[in-house]
């Protein structure tokens, strides 16, 4: 506010960083709700489970801005099949099978019952970097169980070629 009589100006400022942080959190929540709404819409529109998974993965990969996303289906023998995938080489989708033993990443996720996050495979010591991860240059990943602990369908996995801290 200019004060001509005193030949000065009063300047007022407000710290709006909390407001900006809150606005960003709200923007992310709105985007999450949009993705969940669209996944629900896809579930109602398509009768094919495969189409539902493919379309859902596209939305999730886009929302998280990740180049690789996949669904690994738990098979009766305890192994996992890459049932759907975004970004992966075509020879893997629908064909790639991994073990479900405790030492494998899939088995570890299944037995832990909680999301498993790898920020950097170079520093990871719980399990080895698999060939598919090496081929695609994956650095970070997050894995979450699909289904309830009583009835597990499989695991959804989001992968990044850049170091990322998933939350």
């Amino acid at each position: 506010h200019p004060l001509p009589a005193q030949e000065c100006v009063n300047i007022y400022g407000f710290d709006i960083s909390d407001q900006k942080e809150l606005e960003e959190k709200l923007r992310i929540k709105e985007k999450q709700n949009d993705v969940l709404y669209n996944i629900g819409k896809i579930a109602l529109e398509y009768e094919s489970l495969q189409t539902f998974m493919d379309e859902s993965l596209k939305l999730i990969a886009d929302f998280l801005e990740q180049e690789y996303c996949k669904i690994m289906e738990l098979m009766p023998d305890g192994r996992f099949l890459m049932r759907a995938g975004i970004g992966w080489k075509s020879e893997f989708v629908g064909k790639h099978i991994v073990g479900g033993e405790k030492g494998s990443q899939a088995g570890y996720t299944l037995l832990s019952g909680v999301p498993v996050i790898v920020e950097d495979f170079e520093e990871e010591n719980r399990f080895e970097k698999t060939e598919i991860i090496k081929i695609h240059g994956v650095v970070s990943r997050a894995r979450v169980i699909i289904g309830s602990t009583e009835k597990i369908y499989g695991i959804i996995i989001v992968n990044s070629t850049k170091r990322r801290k998933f939350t």
Side-chain angles (χ1 to χ4, degrees):
H1 295 346
L3 301 173
Q6 297 175 354
E7 296 182 358
C8 66
V9 176
N10 278 343
I11 299 175
Y12 299 94
F14 301 96
D15 181 3
I16 60 168
S17 41
D18 286 345
Q19 178 183 345
K20 292 293 180 186
E21 187 178 313
L22 191 58
E23 286 173 359
E24 178 63 14
K25 285 181 181 178
L26 180 60
R27 187 190 67 74
I28 290 169
K29 278 289 183 202
E30 286 175 346
K31 203 171 173 184
Q32 287 173 339
N33 286 336
D34 284 347
V35 169
L36 290 174
Y37 167 78
N38 286 324
I39 289 173
K41 190 173 156 189
I42 290 168
L44 295 173
E45 287 176 3
Y46 298 104
E47 290 183 24
S48 162
L49 177 60
Q50 189 63 50
T51 304
F52 168 72
M53 288 190 288
D54 292 341
E55 294 300 315
S56 296
L57 284 180
K58 286 178 191 173
L59 289 170
I60 293 166
D62 183 54
F63 170 69
L64 294 173
E65 299 175 352
Q66 295 306 302
E67 49 272 82
Y68 300 111
C69 192
K70 63 184 173 180
I71 293 175
M72 301 295 287
E73 180 182 3
L74 178 60
M75 298 187 307
D77 66 2
R79 297 182 305 158
F80 289 86
L81 167 68
M82 185 192 295
R83 182 82 139 96
I86 299 296
W88 304 95
K89 293 184 179 199
S90 60
E91 63 259 26
F92 291 105
V93 180
K95 300 172 189 104
H96 183 67
I97 295 176
V98 297
E101 63 278 352
K102 184 179 177 181
S104 73
Q105 295 175 44
Y108 186 91
T109 303
L110 198 61
L111 293 172
S112 70
V114 296
V116 176
I117 297 170
V118 175
E119 285 185 42
D120 189 344
F121 271 107
E122 297 303 320
E123 298 173 5
E124 181 57 49
N125 58 12
R126 292 174 290 184
F127 24 71
E128 291 182 25
K129 192 173 185 178
T130 61
E131 195 60 34
I132 190 171
I133 291 171
K134 292 175 188 174
I135 290 169
H136 291 87
V138 172
V139 174
S140 298
R141 95 173 346 169
R143 297 171 152 263
V144 180
I145 293 173
I146 301 171
S148 65
T149 51
E150 298 83 33
K151 189 173 182 182
I152 295 171
Y153 175 80
I155 300 171
I156 186 166
I157 306 159
V158 181
N159 302 270
S160 177
T161 56
K162 298 175 184 85
R163 185 180 173 122
R164 176 169 176 167
K165 183 174 184 160
F166 289 99
T167 58

